[in-house]
Amino acid sequence: NYDSYLHQVLKKVFNTLIEKTHYFNELDAEVGDGDTGEGFERSSKACLAILHNLDLEHNLVESLTILGDEIASNFGGTSGPLYGVMLSTGARFLKKELSENTLKDLQQALQQGQQQIQHVGKSQVGDRTMVDVLVPLSKALEDIANQTDQQNKKEIAYKLIQVVKEASQKTSQLKAKKGRSRYLDGREIGKLDPGCEVIVAWLTILVENI
Ligand code: ADP
Ligand code: MG
Ligand code: MG
C-alpha cells in the first residue's frame, strides 16, 4: 500500500478534476457534446482506485503508463485515449533519457507526448485543441529548464499557470478545425475550449504542489 508525497499530489489532481466535472461538462455543452467532465470524472475515479497499488517513487515510468491506460479505457471520448497516448509516450521517453536536469527531462517527455497526440489526433497548432495549450506550456518549461540562474519554485509555478491560462484564453478566439467544435462553424469563437481548461486545472494543482 503505497502513499508518498507524489501520491498526495496526484490525489489532489484527480480530486480537482472530479470537483470540476460540472464546469468541464458545461464548457463542452457549449462547443461539443457536453461530456468532457464526466469522462474525466470516470477516469479520475478509476485512477484513484488503483493509485495505492503503484510505487510512484521507484517505478514512475511504469506507473504513468498504467494511469494513462486507466484514463484511456475509462473515459469514453476523445480526450481519454489522447491522454493515454501522452502519458505512455512521455513515460517511454523518461525510461530512456533521464539526466541530471529533471525539469528538462519532464519537458522533453511532455513534448514527445504532445507530438504523439498531434500524430494520433492529426492536429496542428491553431486547430483549437488541447495542443494549443500543450505547446506553449512545453516552450515555457523549456525556457525555465535552460535557465542557469536559480528561480524559486513559487515564481516558476506562477509563470506556468499564467502561460496555460493565457494560452487557453487565446485558443478560445480560434475557429475549430478538429474535434466536435468544428461543426459550429465559427460559433465556438469566444468560448473556452474544454480540453484546454482541463490542462489549466491539472497544471495548476501540479505546480502549486511540487
Ligand atoms: P468528444 O466528446 O468529442 O469525444 P471530449 O469531450 O473528450 O471529446 O474532449 C474534447 C476536447 O478534446 C476538446 O476541447 C479539444 O481540446 C480536444 N480535442 C478534440 N479533438 C482533438 C484532436 N484531434 N487532437 C487533440 N485534441 C483534441
Ligand atoms: Mg465531448
Ligand atoms: Mg463525447
Side-chain angles (χ1 to χ4, degrees), residues 28 32-36 75 77-79 180 194:
D28 195 35
D33 59 355
D35 64 354
T36 309
F75 196 94
T78 309
S79 318
R180 281 176 207 276

Side-chain angles (χ1 to χ4, degrees), residues 4-57:
S4 67
Y5 183 67
L6 201 47
H7 283 83
Q8 301 303 320
V9 176
L10 287 186
K11 269 183 214 167
K12 281 189 195 174
V13 169
F14 292 126
N15 280 319
T16 301
L17 293 176
I18 293 169
E19 274 163 31
K20 290 187 178 283
T21 301
H22 183 68
Y23 175 62
F24 298 138
N25 274 346
E26 293 282 291
L27 291 179
D28 195 35
E30 293 273 325
V31 297
D33 59 355
D35 64 354
T36 309
E38 63 204 54
F40 280 102
E41 183 186 33
R42 254 194 316 275
S43 293
S44 298
K45 284 182 176 166
C47 287
L48 285 172
I50 60 159
L51 202 57
H52 63 277
N53 295 325
L54 303 176
D55 186 358
L56 295 172
E57 263 182 302

Side-chain angles (χ1 to χ4, degrees), residues 149-182:
D149 55 321
Q150 284 289 316
Q151 292 186 63
N152 72 47
K153 284 185 180 179
K154 266 213 173 101
E155 262 173 50
I156 293 175
Y158 179 75
K159 184 172 174 199
L160 290 174
I161 293 169
Q162 285 303 109
V163 165
V164 293
K165 281 188 174 167
E166 272 168 32
S168 178
Q169 290 291 338
K170 260 177 117 173
T171 305
S172 74
Q173 300 304 322
L174 298 174
K175 194 169 183 308
K177 299 204 182 81
K178 280 285 172 309
R180 281 176 207 276
S181 306
R182 74 185 189 279

Side-chain angles (χ1 to χ4, degrees), residues 10-201:
L10 287 186
K11 269 183 214 167
K12 281 189 195 174
V13 169
F14 292 126
N15 280 319
T16 301
L17 293 176
I18 293 169
E19 274 163 31
K20 290 187 178 283
T21 301
H22 183 68
Y23 175 62
F24 298 138
N25 274 346
E26 293 282 291
L27 291 179
D28 195 35
E30 293 273 325
V31 297
D33 59 355
D35 64 354
T36 309
E38 63 204 54
F40 280 102
E41 183 186 33
R42 254 194 316 275
S43 293
S44 298
K45 284 182 176 166
C47 287
L48 285 172
I50 60 159
L51 202 57
H52 63 277
N53 295 325
L54 303 176
D55 186 358
L56 295 172
E57 263 182 302
H58 303 106
N59 214 345
L60 184 63
V61 170
E62 197 196 32
S63 300
L64 288 178
T65 308
I66 292 170
L67 290 172
D69 288 348
E70 206 64 24
I71 294 170
S73 58
N74 285 282
F75 196 94
T78 309
S79 318
L82 293 178
Y83 271 85
V85 160
M86 178 160 73
L87 287 169
S88 60
T89 305
R92 228 179 301 125
F93 176 85
L94 285 179
K95 198 174 211 162
K96 283 187 276 181
E97 307 282 333
L98 227 49
S99 72
E100 260 104 89
N101 192 339
T102 319
L103 200 56
K104 189 149 197 153
D105 295 336
L106 285 174
Q107 182 269 323
Q108 286 179 326
L110 180 76
Q111 191 176 19
Q112 302 275 324
Q114 162 244 312
Q115 286 169 354
Q116 198 56 24
I117 282 185
Q118 283 192 250
H119 181 71
V120 172
K122 298 179 175 52
S123 56
Q124 303 291 322
V125 170
D127 284 353
R128 189 189 160 103
T129 69
M130 59 168 104
V131 169
D132 293 308
V133 168
L134 289 173
V135 169
L137 169 61
S138 177
K139 180 79 185 69
L141 266 176
E142 190 178 8
D143 290 347
I144 292 166
N146 284 334
Q147 272 167 16
T148 39
D149 55 321
Q150 284 289 316
Q151 292 186 63
N152 72 47
K153 284 185 180 179
K154 266 213 173 101
E155 262 173 50
I156 293 175
Y158 179 75
K159 184 172 174 199
L160 290 174
I161 293 169
Q162 285 303 109
V163 165
V164 293
K165 281 188 174 167
E166 272 168 32
S168 178
Q169 290 291 338
K170 260 177 117 173
T171 305
S172 74
Q173 300 304 322
L174 298 174
K175 194 169 183 308
K177 299 204 182 81
K178 280 285 172 309
R180 281 176 207 276
S181 306
R182 74 185 189 279
Y183 303 124
L184 289 176
D185 199 24
R187 277 172 289 132
E188 71 281 23
I189 295 171
K191 291 170 180 161
L192 287 166
D193 176 74
C196 292
E197 284 295 291
V198 168
I199 297 175
V200 172

